[in-house]
């Protein structure tokens, strides 16, 4: 940890993981629901009772050991099927037996001479091949880290020697032992920080340098290159560690340095903290959105998009920002929106206040914005017992419906409707008997719809299961139909009176 690039990389990764909250979910019929009242979440996100370390410090220590030792541990304080606490254990204090079988692997752990079973420990191993021991970054990259370390040691010696390089003295004549010892002591004092600033050399002696200078060795360039390579060991870059990274660089760092550890951490929690009865339907997961909390402007822009697209509500945004709710439980909608309830298969159009059941639309038996006048103004259309369209008769003059591509019939895979269905024919061109028959049919439909309003359960057996919005929408729809029927009757009565053929 004496190498700055190595130490800062370990700290960056460990701090990121330690800051992420862990959540617990239960899955039922493909739908995930968050559990918030489980005691295990307290130990993973806040602190364990009777421990001097917080949950964040525990996660930091486990990630740090994971990178430095290739393995990390935390003791699970089980009380039967209940967890009473989680306690970080330094990896250096844990020993274990290597698995004997290469297939059916099992082991026993020892802490302070006491034996512990595997289920009593949270165990996280890096690049493991047996699930017990792991490979640390130091183990995998000794050469690069050794070069960086020895470069620092070389710099240290240069500083301690006052910046002077190694040298030797060449003399024309042989020095006596006394002269040689005096020269050595003077040389030693010269190359210390608080020693003499000068040395006297006899005539005929010459100093020769025996090492290269830091400039000649390109120390600065090599240090920079070594640091970049160390950052790459963690999946990071210098800009990320220094907080100068772009969005792409930060996303790359999270994907390569953080996500693999959180994924391994989640697997460990699901293996060791869930009961056998909970496995398969419950799971732990990190809340990775906390990684985006650093940039407030980008975070608020994301919230703005979520609100505009109704992905989140205002109080949900405030909850994500640890702010108290305002009590606004409404979703903003435009008049151009159409709402579909997949559970009841109901379509609601706020702009027209119309409600339709999708199943009825699919089989052609009902329409949301159906035209009452178009369904009953011509004797050619056959009505069923419920008053709804049930086919048509050919015209008496033999002019039947042309079913070629240009006939005006609208077809789809489930719906086939004539264009006459959506618009009323020209009343003036209809004979009086046809108008009178239409009036009788409209009167019958009015009575039916009034019955729907008075006793909706006869028309809709599941009425009590409908939402209030759907009930209100259906009643407004029926009243609108009655109004349309009455208007169609008035139009026909007016035309019959003009002809003098109206019988009250």
């Amino acid at each position: 940890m004496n190498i700055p690039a190595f130490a800062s990389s370990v700290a960056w990764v460990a701090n990121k993981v330690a800051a992420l909250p862990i959540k617990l979910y239960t899955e039922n019929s493909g739908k995930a629901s968050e559990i918030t009242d489980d005691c295990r979440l307290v130990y993973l996100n806040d602190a364990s009772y009777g421990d001097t370390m917080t949950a964040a410090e525990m996660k930091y220590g486990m990630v740090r050991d994971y990178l430095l030792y290739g393995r990390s541990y935390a003791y699970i304080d089980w009380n039967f099927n209940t967890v009473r606490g989680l306690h970080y254990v330094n990896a250096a204090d844990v020993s274990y037996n290597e698995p004997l079988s290469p297939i059916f692997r099992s082991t026993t752990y020892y802490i302070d001479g006491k034996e512990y079973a595997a289920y009593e420990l949270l165990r996280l191993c890096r690049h493991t091949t047996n699930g017990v021991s792991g490979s640390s970054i130091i183990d995998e990259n000794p050469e690069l880290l050794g070069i960086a370390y020895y470069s620092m040691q070389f710099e240290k010696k240069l500083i301690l020697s006052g910046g002077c390089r190694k040298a030797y003295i060449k003399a024309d004549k042989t020095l006596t032992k006394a002269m040689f010892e005096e020269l050595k002591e003077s040389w030693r004092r010269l190359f210390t920080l608080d020693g003499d600033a000068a040395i006297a050399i006899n005539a005929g002696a010459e100093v020769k340098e025996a090492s290269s200078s830091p400039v000649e060795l390109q120390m600065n360039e090599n240090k920079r290159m070594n640091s970049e390579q160390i950052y790459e060991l963690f999946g990071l870059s210098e800009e990320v560690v220094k907080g100068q990274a772009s969005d792409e660089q930060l996303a790359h760092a999270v994907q390569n340095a953080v996500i693999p550890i959180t994924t391994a951490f989640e697997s460990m929690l699901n293996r060791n903290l869930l009961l056998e009865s909970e496995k398969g339907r419950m799971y732990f997961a990190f809340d990775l959105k906390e990684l985006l909390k650093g940039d407030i402007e980008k975070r608020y822009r994301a919230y703005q998009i979520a609100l505009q697209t109704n992905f989140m509500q205002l109080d949900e945004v405030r909850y994500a920002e640890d702010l108290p709710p305002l009590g606004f439980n409404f979703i903003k909608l435009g008049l151009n929106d159409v709402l579909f309830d997949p559970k009841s298969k109901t379509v609601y159009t706020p702009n027209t206040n119309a409600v339709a059941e999708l199943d009825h639309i699919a089989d052609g038996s009902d329409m949301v914005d159906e035209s009452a006048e178009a369904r009953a103004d011509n004797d050619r259309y056959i009505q069923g017992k419920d008053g709804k369209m049930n086919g048509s008769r050919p015209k008496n003059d033999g002019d039947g419906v042309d079913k070629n591509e240009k006939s005006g019939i609208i077809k789809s895979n489930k719906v086939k409707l004539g264009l006459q269905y959506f618009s009323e024919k020209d009343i003036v061109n209809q004979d009086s008997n046809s108008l009178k028959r239409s009036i009788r049919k409209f009167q019958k439909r009015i009575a039916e719809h009034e019955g729907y309003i008075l006793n909706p359960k006869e028309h809709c057996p599941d009425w009590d299961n409908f939402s209030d919005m759907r009930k209100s929408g259906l009643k407004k729809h029926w009243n609108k139909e009655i109004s349309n029927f009455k208007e169609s009757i008035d139009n026909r009565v007016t035309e019959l009176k003009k002809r003098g053929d109206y019988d009250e």
Side-chain angles (χ1 to χ4, degrees):
M1 294 294 286
N2 290 327
I3 305 172
F6 185 86
S8 58
S9 297
V10 171
W12 191 92
V13 175
N15 280 321
K16 290 297 181 183
V17 176
L20 295 175
I22 299 175
K23 296 188 176 183
L24 179 62
Y25 298 91
T26 179
E27 187 173 357
N28 186 16
S29 301
K31 297 181 180 179
S33 303
E34 183 181 355
I35 299 175
T36 58
D37 57 353
D38 195 289
C39 65
R40 289 169 289 191
L41 296 174
V42 177
Y43 308 141
L44 289 171
N45 295 309
D46 295 319
S48 290
Y49 302 110
D51 200 319
T52 57
M53 296 183 69
T54 65
E57 291 169 340
M58 178 190 71
K59 288 185 283 188
Y60 182 95
M62 292 189 69
V63 175
R64 183 178 181 274
D65 288 353
Y66 175 82
L67 297 172
L68 296 181
Y69 295 97
R71 52 193 175 93
S72 59
Y73 305 93
Y75 173 70
I76 309 172
D77 187 5
W78 286 103
N79 180 26
F80 296 101
N81 286 339
T82 302
V83 178
R84 293 186 300 190
L86 296 174
H87 307 274
Y88 163 76
V89 182
N90 193 315
D93 297 329
V94 180
S95 59
Y96 52 85
N97 294 326
E98 289 284 350
L100 298 178
S101 172
I103 300 177
F104 304 103
R105 289 176 283 271
S106 62
T107 188
T108 303
Y109 296 88
Y110 301 91
I111 303 174
D112 282 344
K114 184 177 180 181
E115 182 177 312
Y116 292 89
Y119 72 87
E120 295 181 280
L121 295 175
L122 288 177
R123 313 180 310 277
L124 193 63
C125 296
R126 180 180 182 274
H127 297 178
T128 182
T129 57
N130 57 14
V132 177
S133 60
S135 178
S136 70
I137 289 183
I138 299 175
D139 295 333
E140 294 178 346
N141 304 276
E143 300 265 344
L144 173 60
L145 297 177
I147 291 173
Y149 177 76
Y150 291 128
S151 296
M152 292 177 57
Q153 292 299 310
F154 180 74
E155 288 184 352
K156 178 181 178 181
K157 290 180 179 179
L158 284 177
I159 293 174
L160 293 177
S161 65
C164 296
R165 292 176 286 170
K166 291 181 179 181
Y168 63 90
I169 299 176
K170 180 181 179 182
D172 293 337
K173 61 181 179 178
T174 303
L175 300 178
T176 64
K177 184 175 181 180
M179 295 174 59
F180 182 73
E181 293 297 333
E182 182 182 357
L183 181 60
K184 282 176 58 179
E185 179 62 21
S186 300
W187 194 268
R188 185 191 63 79
R189 291 197 304 269
L190 175 65
F191 290 152
T192 56
L193 293 177
D194 56 351
D196 298 332
I199 183 174
I201 299 177
N202 294 332
E206 182 182 359
V207 177
K208 297 287 186 177
E209 291 183 351
S211 63
S212 302
S213 67
V215 175
E216 293 170 340
L217 292 173
Q218 296 183 321
M219 289 293 296
N220 290 334
E221 291 79 1
N222 289 335
K223 283 173 54 180
R224 190 176 298 109
M225 183 177 296
N226 291 338
S227 296
E228 291 176 357
Q229 291 177 336
I230 292 173
Y231 290 136
E232 291 176 1
L233 296 180
F234 294 85
L236 304 175
S237 64
E238 182 179 3
E239 292 78 12
V240 170
V241 175
K242 291 184 177 180
Q244 302 170 349
S246 63
D247 292 342
E248 292 77 11
Q249 290 174 319
L250 183 59
H252 182 272
V254 170
Q255 188 67 34
N256 290 277
V258 178
I259 299 298
I261 297 179
T262 59
T263 301
F265 216 106
E266 290 168 355
S267 299
M268 173 193 66
L269 296 177
N270 294 330
R271 176 190 63 190
N272 295 103
L273 274 190
L274 291 178
L275 302 175
E276 292 300 322
S277 59
E278 296 173 334
K279 293 179 179 179
R281 61 183 181 87
M282 296 175 63
Y283 61 92
F284 290 95
F286 280 89
D287 186 2
L288 297 178
K289 77 174 186 295
E290 294 294 321
L291 287 175
L292 303 177
K293 272 198 169 184
D295 192 330
I296 187 171
E297 182 179 358
K298 294 175 184 175
R299 190 167 75 254
Y300 283 3
R301 282 203 299 266
Y303 288 146
Q304 181 181 15
I305 295 173
L307 290 172
Q308 290 174 348
T309 56
N310 297 321
F311 180 74
M312 298 179 70
Q313 297 186 40
L314 181 59
D315 278 350
E316 291 176 329
V317 172
R318 294 181 63 83
Y319 177 79
E321 289 295 308
D322 299 324
L323 297 173
L326 298 177
F328 292 152
N329 297 320
F330 300 98
I331 298 176
K332 294 187 292 184
L333 297 174
L335 292 178
N336 60 324
D337 293 314
V338 177
L339 308 181
F340 172 63
D341 185 351
K343 185 177 294 184
S344 62
K345 295 185 178 180
T346 302
V347 178
Y348 175 66
T349 308
N351 191 26
T352 59
N353 196 27
V355 179
E357 298 179 18
L358 192 62
D359 290 340
H360 290 174
I361 296 176
D363 60 21
S365 61
D366 194 13
M367 295 294 293
V368 176
D369 197 16
E370 61 192 31
S371 173
E373 298 172 287
R375 292 199 302 163
D377 75 324
N378 195 301
D379 191 47
R380 292 179 54 239
Y381 296 103
I382 302 172
Q383 291 180 327
K385 293 181 179 181
D386 58 355
K388 297 177 181 179
M389 293 297 300
N390 194 22
S392 62
R393 302 185 184 92
K395 289 185 177 181
N396 293 332
D397 57 5
D399 187 13
V401 179
D402 181 12
K403 296 193 176 181
N404 59 30
E405 296 180 352
K406 300 180 180 179
S407 64
I409 299 296
I410 300 176
K411 296 182 180 180
S412 71
N413 58 338
K414 289 187 177 180
V415 182
K416 181 171 72 175
L417 299 172
L419 291 177
Q420 299 94 326
Y421 188 82
F422 298 98
S423 60
E424 187 178 30
K425 279 194 168 186
D426 187 6
I427 296 177
V428 179
N429 296 329
Q430 298 180 31
D431 59 74
S432 297
N433 289 331
S434 178
L435 294 177
K436 292 177 181 180
R437 284 194 297 271
S438 297
I439 290 174
R440 290 193 295 271
K441 292 178 181 179
F442 284 134
Q443 290 171 342
K444 181 180 178 181
R445 296 304 308 277
I446 290 174
E448 289 176 353
H449 281 67
E450 289 175 343
Y452 297 162
I453 297 173
L454 292 176
N455 191 2
K457 293 182 68 174
E458 286 190 2
H459 178 61
C460 304
D462 296 334
W463 180 262
D464 292 336
N465 296 328
F466 291 173
S467 64
D468 292 339
M469 182 188 76
R470 186 179 179 188
K471 290 179 180 179
S472 175
L474 285 172
K475 287 184 177 181
K476 290 180 180 180
H477 170 63
W478 292 332
N479 280 314
K480 181 181 178 182
E481 287 283 74
I482 292 174
S483 177
N484 290 338
F485 295 149
K486 289 180 178 179
E487 182 180 354
S488 296
I489 291 174
D490 291 340
N491 292 337
R492 282 154 181 77
V493 169
T494 300
E495 178 62 26
L496 290 173
K497 285 182 178 180
K498 288 181 181 179
R499 302 177 184 181
D501 198 12
Y502 177 65
D503 299 326
E504 295 187 4

